[in-house]
Amino acid sequence: PTPRCHFLMTGYTPLTIADYYQNPIPTSGSDGEVASTSQEATRAVGASSSNNTGSRGGHSASVRKTTVLDVMRRLTQPDNIMVSANTRSPTSCYISILNIIQGNDVEPTQIHTALQRMRERQSIRFIPWGPASIQVALARKSPFLASTNKVSGFMLANHTSMAELFDRLLGQYDKIRRRNAFLDNYRREPMFKDNLDEFDSARETVQCLVDEYRACERKDYVDYDYASRSGSGGLE
């Protein structure tokens, strides 16, 4: 629904510690699996070493059953998102989400149940001017890659907090431009020989993108006029 706001963030779970799985904590049954996120693994190792130092070299069993709901919930947690942006800001919201759930025993009914639970809990904030768009795709695990997890997830999301990244970029650019740093090499090129209007135009385009991401957080976004704000007939 937002052709210009098309910069996606990614998320993945479980994130694991390599050394932790080289000497995994023993599990107690086929229905359980080792704590899946890096924080959970760290807490499990710390707790076992401090409270159960006498069992199997200082490790005790730490078992957690992972469900589709757990994976989809973790995908939206900041610790599992690969972008340095605050997705828990009170004003930021998701525009759309695509989750790819990987597991050999995942059923479509589990997906529907997980989506229903997430909607009931309202754990994810979506745009106020459109429907909550969560698309889910199922995939089987690769037979060529060993994995300690029964279910894993990958997320592609369109989120308004991406504006923070471009806003920081603009701040860094403004500092360099004020000092006229690193511009000599550009002035040697024909297109920058007379002026640096291309830089100014590019900055305006990025600023308009930030403004539109902010506008997506408001109910009146459907009336947002990008062309009038860009001052250039709608730069793409």
Side-chain angles (χ1 to χ4, degrees):
T2 55
R4 287 172 294 273
C5 300
H6 59 262
F7 297 89
L8 306 180
M9 61 173 55
T10 60
Y12 183 81
T13 187
L15 298 175
T16 59
I17 302 174
D19 293 340
Y20 177 71
Y21 281 114
Q22 288 175 2
N23 298 290
I25 295 175
T27 58
S28 59
S30 58
D31 292 336
E33 63 181 341
V34 183
S36 59
T37 65
S38 59
Q39 285 190 339
E40 291 166 351
T42 304
R43 287 197 295 267
V45 172
S48 63
S49 61
S50 60
N51 299 328
N52 301 283
T53 56
S55 61
R56 296 198 181 188
H59 294 297
S60 64
S62 177
V63 179
R64 177 169 182 171
K65 183 177 181 180
T66 298
T67 64
V68 174
L69 176 61
D70 291 333
V71 170
M72 295 180 65
R73 177 178 54 82
R74 292 177 203 153
L75 284 174
T76 61
Q77 294 177 349
D79 291 339
N80 294 320
I81 293 177
M82 311 299 180
V83 174
S84 179
N86 182 17
T87 59
R88 295 298 176 89
S89 171
T91 58
S92 65
C93 53
Y94 283 94
I95 300 174
S96 59
I97 296 177
L98 168 64
N99 287 337
I100 300 177
I101 306 299
Q102 188 178 49
N104 293 339
D105 299 325
V106 178
E107 298 291 338
T109 55
Q110 295 175 283
I111 301 294
H112 295 311
T113 302
L115 290 174
Q116 183 178 2
R117 292 285 298 275
M118 294 176 70
R119 290 193 178 98
E120 291 174 352
R121 297 179 181 180
Q122 296 182 348
S123 56
I124 304 177
R125 187 172 183 269
F126 277 92
I127 48 178
W129 46 269
S133 176
I134 305 180
Q135 304 295 325
V136 182
L138 295 180
R140 297 184 64 84
K141 297 176 65 174
S142 171
F144 304 104
L145 296 175
S147 175
T148 57
N149 306 282
K150 293 182 178 180
V151 183
S152 61
F154 174 76
M155 178 184 72
L156 282 174
N158 198 354
H159 197 276
T160 59
S161 65
M162 291 296 290
E164 296 180 19
L165 301 181
F166 293 104
D167 207 25
R168 288 200 297 267
L169 181 65
L170 290 176
Q172 295 168 357
Y173 167 79
D174 290 340
K175 290 180 181 179
I176 294 176
R177 187 64 191 275
R178 282 195 299 267
R179 299 176 182 178
N180 288 324
F182 309 110
L183 296 180
D184 291 340
N185 291 332
Y186 291 99
R187 289 193 174 98
R188 297 171 186 170
E189 300 297 328
M191 66 182 300
F192 297 114
K193 183 177 181 180
D194 298 327
N195 54 58
L196 298 174
D197 290 346
E198 289 290 335
F199 283 111
D200 298 331
S201 177
R203 192 204 182 285
E204 181 184 357
T205 300
V206 176
Q207 183 62 60
C208 290
L209 178 64
V210 172
D211 295 340
E212 183 163 0
Y213 266 118
R214 299 304 186 197
C216 286
E217 300 172 353
R218 303 192 299 267
K219 293 181 179 180
D220 60 350
Y221 173 72
V222 291
D223 300 322
Y224 183 80
D225 187 358
Y226 177 82
S228 64
R229 285 165 173 78
S230 68
S232 304
L235 295 174
E236 295 297 336

